[in-house]
């Protein structure tokens, strides 16, 4: 299991990653932290959320999977994920513009969004 990212470090990375020209390591940390927040807020293994190339997490209570492609998958790019995680964009907006690929009956993670408030802290 990956080491937990401290909240202060993660929140700082999210704020910095939202700035134009953010460094790749900062964006990576921000994505991993926000995925960590999702897994903590919605524990489970029924949905796999992927933000390539920075990270993936299994979350949401329900039937899990152990092999192969999971039945419920959410995949998006880092900028879209951070917009969702911070509330800058809604789930419906991101899905509507095709920036989120969600498959499976449980693949809607909107009940747990936003995850991080960049202005707080």
């Amino acid at each position: 299991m990956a080491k937990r990212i401290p909240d202060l470090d993660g929140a700082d990375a999210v704020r910095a990653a939202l700035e134009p020209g953010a460094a790749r390591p900062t964006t990576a940390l921000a994505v991993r932290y926000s995925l960590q927040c999702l897994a903590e807020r919605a524990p489970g293994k029924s949905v796999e959320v992927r933000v390539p190339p920075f990270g993936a997490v299994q979350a949401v209570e329900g039937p899990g999977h152990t092999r192969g492609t999971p039945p419920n998958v959410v995949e998006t790019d880092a900028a879209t994920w951070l917009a969702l995680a911070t509330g800058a964009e809604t789930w419906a907006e991101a899905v509507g513009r095709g920036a989120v690929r969600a498959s499976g009956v449980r693949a809607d993670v909107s009940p747990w969004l936003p995850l991080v408030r960049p202005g707080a802290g």
Side-chain angles (χ1 to χ4, degrees):
M1 179 157 205
K3 183 178 175 187
R4 187 179 188 291
I5 300 165
D7 291 327
L8 288 176
D9 294 344
D12 285 347
V14 169
R15 275 190 291 278
L18 295 174
E19 295 296 322
R24 184 178 169 92
T26 300
T27 300
L29 182 60
V31 167
R32 289 184 188 119
Y33 174 70
S34 57
L35 289 170
Q36 170 185 291
C37 291
L38 176 63
E40 290 173 354
R41 183 175 284 179
K45 294 190 179 291
S46 70
V47 179
E48 185 166 293
V49 179
R50 301 172 180 167
V51 185
F54 301 119
V57 69
Q58 290 183 359
V60 183
E61 188 175 330
H65 69 280
T66 56
R67 295 168 143 318
T69 301
N72 302 287
V73 176
V74 172
E75 188 167 330
T76 191
D77 61 276
T80 301
W81 175 251
L82 291 174
L84 290 167
T86 60
E89 184 170 22
T90 69
W91 178 260
E93 291 166 344
V95 170
R97 68 181 177 87
V100 171
R101 290 161 304 288
S103 63
V105 296
R106 296 179 178 269
D108 180 348
V109 296
S110 64
W112 298 279
L113 299 172
L115 297 161
V116 182
R117 296 289 185 183

